């Protein structure tokens, strides 16, 4: 399913698809999100026992990378070395689910800053609000859960971008949602016939 409509419409479509696939009754459930409040609310309402996962690579990792780059921008070798050192500390901590340690590290970077970049404050706020969604990503992968948004990003590329982002094309929201719904229906039918 896909829509350009409001979050409520996406919630309805998502829950309907999950129910149709039997996921609402599955013993093992996982919700992969980007930390948005509305996703957390929907996960708590519809999948309270599911494992909640903040997609690490493009979502959480990107926020941390943006924060580190904002503290030491530029191409000077010393700045690049400092950024690399920060990544070598922070990214493994996040991968292992050590959110508190990563948060403390970013707070120590904040304390050492003269001018505080917004990206650093954003990363700190993000980690402060994700305590239920950041865990040990190795463990989750071993249990079969997706830990990155690659599947979703690929679906966006195939379902939406391939049709909607052609040169010179402009869409009204209602028309775009209808076209995307038709593409989803067609792609799902092709998938089911091939199975």
């Amino acid at each position: 399913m896909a829509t350009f409509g409001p979050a409520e419409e996406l919630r309805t479509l998502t829950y309907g698809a999950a129910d149709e696939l039997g996921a609402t009754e599955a013993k093992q459930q996982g919700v992969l999100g980007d930390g948005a409040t509305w996703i957390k609310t929907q996960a708590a309402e519809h999948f309270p026992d599911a494992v909640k996962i903040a997609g690490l690579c493009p979502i959480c990792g990107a926020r941390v990378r943006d924060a580190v780059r904002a503290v030491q921008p530029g191409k000077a070798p010393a700045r690049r070395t400092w950024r690399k050192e920060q990544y070598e500390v922070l990214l493994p901590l996040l991968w292992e689910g050590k959110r508190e340690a990563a948060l403390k590290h970013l707070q120590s970077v904040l304390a050492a800053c003269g001018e505080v970049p917004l990206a650093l404050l954003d990363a700190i706020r993000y980690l402060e609000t994700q305590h239920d969604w950041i865990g040990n990503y190795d463990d989750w992968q071993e249990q079969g859960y997706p830990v990155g948004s690659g599947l979703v990003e690929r679906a966006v590329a195939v379902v939406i971008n391939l049709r909607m982002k052609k040169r010179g094309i402009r869409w009204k929201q209602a028309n775009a949602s209808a076209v995307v719904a038709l593409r989803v229906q067609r792609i799902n039918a092709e998938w089911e016939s091939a199975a």
Side-chain angles (χ1 to χ4, degrees):
M1 67 26 221
T3 183
F4 288 103
E8 185 61 29
E9 184 178 336
L10 182 61
R11 179 203 66 80
T12 301
L13 290 170
T14 302
Y15 187 76
D19 191 42
E20 188 175 317
L21 293 169
T24 56
E25 304 301 322
K27 291 180 182 177
Q28 183 179 351
Q29 297 175 337
V31 175
L32 179 67
D34 65 359
T37 302
W38 73 271
I39 293 174
K40 291 179 176 183
T41 301
Q42 296 305 317
E45 180 180 338
H46 297 293
F47 302 101
D49 299 325
V51 172
K52 279 68 168 189
I53 302 168
L56 184 63
C57 300
I59 301 163
C60 186
R63 287 179 191 259
V64 169
R65 283 189 179 96
D66 289 348
V68 169
R69 273 192 215 111
V71 172
Q72 290 286 335
K75 295 183 180 182
R79 290 174 178 254
R80 293 172 95 166
T81 300
W82 182 86
R83 289 194 303 258
K84 184 176 185 264
E85 290 168 356
Q86 300 311 305
Y87 300 147
E88 288 172 354
V89 170
L90 289 163
L91 297 179
L93 287 174
L94 291 170
W95 184 259
E96 295 166 9
K98 297 177 181 173
R99 183 192 61 84
E100 279 292 325
L103 182 58
K104 285 181 184 174
H105 186 83
L106 282 179
Q107 289 167 335
S108 71
V109 169
L110 174 66
C113 281
E115 188 176 321
V116 179
L118 290 177
L120 178 58
L121 294 176
D122 179 56
I124 289 171
R125 269 192 301 271
Y126 181 82
L127 291 180
E128 287 173 342
T129 61
Q130 300 306 314
H131 54 86
D132 292 339
W133 288 70
I134 294 176
N136 189 304
Y137 289 84
D138 268 333
D139 289 350
W140 283 337
Q141 276 190 323
E142 286 176 16
Q143 295 171 37
Y145 294 107
V147 298
S149 61
L151 290 172
V152 174
E153 291 174 22
R154 184 65 186 143
V156 167
V158 169
V159 175
I160 297 173
N161 295 349
L162 191 65
R163 175 67 177 94
M164 310 297 282
K165 288 191 167 185
K166 294 186 177 186
R167 177 177 269 168
I169 291 181
R170 301 221 190 307
W171 295 94
K172 290 183 179 179
Q173 183 174 329
N175 297 344
S177 287
V179 169
V180 167
L182 287 171
R183 281 193 56 76
V184 166
Q185 206 171 36
R186 182 175 144 224
I187 291 168
N188 285 344
E190 288 172 2
W191 177 261
E192 288 172 8
S193 70

